[in-house]
Amino acid sequence: MAKVLKIPKLKGDKAIWIVAILLALASMLAVYTAISAYAGRLYGNNTGLALVHHLITLVTALVIMFAAYLVPSKLYCNLSSFLLILTIPLLILTLTKGKNVNDATRALEISLGSKSITFQTSEFAKVFLINYIAAHLHFLREKLNDVKVIIGWFFIPITIVVGLVMPPNMSMALMILVDCLVLLFVGGVKLKHLFGFAGVCIVFGGLYIGYKLTLPTEKQGRVGTWKGRIERYTSKSDIEATTDSTSNNVAKYDPFDRLNYQQTCSKIAIASGGLFGKGSGHSQQRNFLPHPYSDFIYAIIIEEYGLLLGGLLIMILYIIIIARGFKTLKNHPESYGGLLVFGLSFMIVVQAFINMGVAVTLLPVTGQPLPFISMGGSSLWAMGLAFGMMLSATRNLDKRSDMEAENDKQGQRKANKKEEYIVNEDNGEPIIVVRDEE
């Protein structure tokens, strides 16, 4: 009889599995309706071909997630230093010889014959940095009061990574810094050390920004970009037609050069979506927003699916992720797995709420994608890796908990057994008799 192929039972945190799959499905639906302008620019208005490209990227991310889940979390822990060291020269190479993406040198391009793959090294650097910090908080948990240990093993690596990410991507550098500080805090590092490090970062970051602002506008790089974003965000101006001073006619204008254009379109999308949305594929603002499939995909989701089924549901999925991170840390406070799951879940949720905050105009434009939903290879692959590492860690923690529970049961059974000695009447030798106590 032919053998039946058995599908291996998935272990690890079931809630994280479900959320990851639901986010992937949301990505497929949302990106399909948001890529009309993207398809027109790169695929000759062939939306189907653009969707196939995204699906290939998304499936690859899911494969990365499953492969990362299969790797024992102990291996991530033991290789944490190596993985972080590996990313540093890649970040340097990206900074010096990388490809320009959205007016910043953020990506490395790898040539594969007639085609090439572009990926942003900073997306993977933040995952490996969280992994490194979680592992060394576990390794050095008895030495966290030593300032030299804190500086050498934590503050210096964080400074290097953040310093290399900051020139092309200031928002991600700040996000990485916050993620690391929070993970160090829950891992047992004293607040006075964290405040001291944060103060040093603020001073040197301020000096860097101040220096860049003294340069001509064309040489200010991302500092100039962020200056403009903050000015646009704080400005009270909105998109409105300008009137020609020499006549009563309304002058023509380029809306892409107007203040707050992106977030104004985002507000229109959210307002027009209402509670229940316009329905899938009926978004209007996807034709006006510059990046409706990435930076402002949350606004498109609300426009099409409404605040309830779209906006609130997506928000709940991310809240579930951080809730599972907190629960895992609470159950395993000093373990590598508990710290890793919390660190990665916090990183994902912070990025998600930054993206959503930009869409609803609570924050200035940052360019951060919505994790595991927005279109983009590097972000999807890095998030797939992060989800896989969390699932691997929870699988290992569940296995350890099962073993500890079994050991407790065996110990209890032994404790309930009573040994008695009796004498064999035939030969006079002692016999040990074990009875269960009632």
Side-chain angles (χ1 to χ4, degrees):
M1 182 179 291
K3 293 183 179 180
V4 178
L5 181 63
K6 293 184 178 180
I7 299 175
K9 182 180 179 181
L10 296 178
K11 299 179 180 180
D13 194 303
K14 300 298 188 296
I16 295 179
W17 273 112
I18 293 171
V19 169
I21 298 302
L22 290 177
L23 289 177
L25 291 174
S27 175
M28 181 177 65
L29 293 174
V31 169
Y32 175 67
T33 61
I35 56 175
S36 56
Y38 176 81
R41 188 170 66 251
L42 296 180
Y43 293 95
N45 290 322
N46 191 334
T47 306
L49 188 60
L51 179 63
V52 168
H53 178 269
H54 174 66
L55 287 179
I56 292 173
T57 305
L58 185 60
V59 170
T60 305
L62 292 172
V63 170
I64 291 173
M65 182 182 76
F66 187 72
Y69 153 77
L70 294 176
V71 176
S73 61
K74 184 179 180 180
L75 187 60
Y76 294 124
C77 184
N78 294 335
L79 293 178
S80 60
S81 296
F82 170 76
L83 293 173
L84 181 63
I85 292 172
L86 183 66
T87 62
I88 292 175
L90 292 177
L91 288 172
I92 296 173
L93 191 62
T94 302
L95 196 59
T96 56
K97 298 184 179 181
K99 182 180 179 180
N100 188 289
V101 177
N102 294 332
D103 300 323
T105 308
R106 298 179 180 177
L108 278 181
E109 188 173 27
I110 300 176
S111 178
L112 299 174
S114 59
K115 297 184 178 180
S116 62
I117 297 177
T118 302
F119 69 98
Q120 296 186 30
T121 52
S122 57
E123 292 285 352
F124 296 92
K126 64 184 181 185
V127 175
F128 292 143
L129 182 59
I130 294 294
N131 179 59
Y132 169 88
I133 293 174
H136 286 77
L137 283 172
H138 173 68
F139 293 147
L140 304 170
R141 58 186 178 276
E142 302 297 332
K143 301 179 180 180
L144 295 180
N145 291 326
D146 190 334
V147 178
K148 293 182 180 179
V149 170
I150 299 300
I151 294 175
W153 288 99
F154 298 109
F155 291 167
I156 291 178
I158 293 172
T159 302
I160 293 173
V161 173
V162 171
L164 291 173
V165 172
M166 185 176 178
N169 198 337
M170 290 183 64
S171 58
M172 180 176 287
L174 182 59
M175 187 181 69
I176 292 173
L177 179 61
V178 171
D179 294 339
C180 293
L181 290 176
V182 171
L183 182 55
L184 289 172
F185 171 69
V186 301
V189 177
K190 291 183 177 179
L191 275 175
K192 65 179 182 180
H193 297 149
L194 296 177
F195 279 125
F197 177 58
V200 171
C201 292
I202 291 172
V203 170
F204 282 94
L207 290 173
Y208 170 77
I209 293 173
Y211 165 72
K212 295 291 285 186
L213 290 177
T214 62
L215 300 176
T217 304
E218 64 274 9
K219 294 184 179 181
Q220 290 179 2
R222 300 306 292 177
V223 172
T225 301
W226 259 96
K227 177 187 175 185
R229 286 175 175 176
I230 294 173
E231 289 175 348
R232 287 192 295 271
Y233 177 75
T234 56
S235 173
K236 300 300 181 182
S237 300
D238 210 334
I239 297 182
E240 58 185 6
T242 57
T243 303
D244 191 341
S245 59
T246 60
S247 69
N248 293 325
N249 297 326
V250 176
K252 294 182 179 180
Y253 68 96
D254 181 0
F256 285 90
D257 290 334
R258 301 296 296 168
L259 299 177
N260 300 328
Y261 172 76
Q262 296 181 85
Q263 292 190 316
T264 298
C265 291
S266 181
K267 287 190 287 185
I268 293 172
I270 293 171
S272 60
L275 289 177
F276 305 104
K278 297 178 177 179
S280 179
H282 291 84
S283 168
Q284 296 295 322
Q285 294 306 310
R286 63 182 177 179
N287 299 315
F288 303 101
L289 276 165
H291 301 285
Y293 45 82
S294 56
D295 297 4
F296 288 92
I297 197 168
Y298 187 65
I300 302 301
I301 291 173
I302 294 177
E303 184 183 10
E304 296 196 338
Y305 298 97
L307 283 169
L308 294 179
L309 185 59
L312 185 59
L313 180 59
I314 295 297
M315 188 181 296
I316 289 174
L317 292 178
Y318 288 114
I319 291 174
I320 291 173
I321 294 175
I322 192 62
R324 302 307 296 177
F326 273 114
K327 184 177 181 180
T328 305
L329 181 66
K330 180 181 178 181
N331 294 337
H332 309 276
E334 294 184 350
S335 69
Y336 159 73
L339 292 165
L340 178 68
V341 174
F342 173 80
L344 291 177
S345 65
F346 184 80
M347 177 196 74
I348 291 171
V349 173
V350 166
Q351 181 174 325
F353 276 85
I354 288 175
N355 178 281
M356 290 186 282
V358 170
V360 299
T361 70
L362 290 176
L363 297 172
V365 178
T366 63
Q368 293 302 315
L370 193 59
F372 226 49
I373 291 183
S374 292
M375 187 176 186
S378 302
S379 177
L380 286 173
W381 296 337
M383 289 300 107
L385 176 62
F387 274 113
M389 292 174 71
M390 287 193 292
L391 291 168
S392 174
T394 55
R395 179 187 62 171
N396 181 69
L397 292 172
D398 289 345
K399 186 186 299 183
R400 185 187 303 175
S401 298
D402 293 341
M403 292 175 62
E404 290 175 353
E406 182 63 28
N407 290 336
D408 290 341
K409 289 180 181 179
Q410 292 179 1
Q412 188 63 36
R413 284 197 293 267
K414 290 181 179 179
N416 291 336
K417 293 183 182 297
K418 182 178 180 180
E419 294 182 352
E420 295 181 358
Y421 290 87
I422 63 175
V423 178
N424 190 329
E425 296 179 355
D426 297 330
N427 53 25
E429 295 181 356
I431 300 174
I432 300 176
V433 178
V434 180
R435 293 189 176 92
D436 290 332
E437 290 184 341
E438 296 183 358

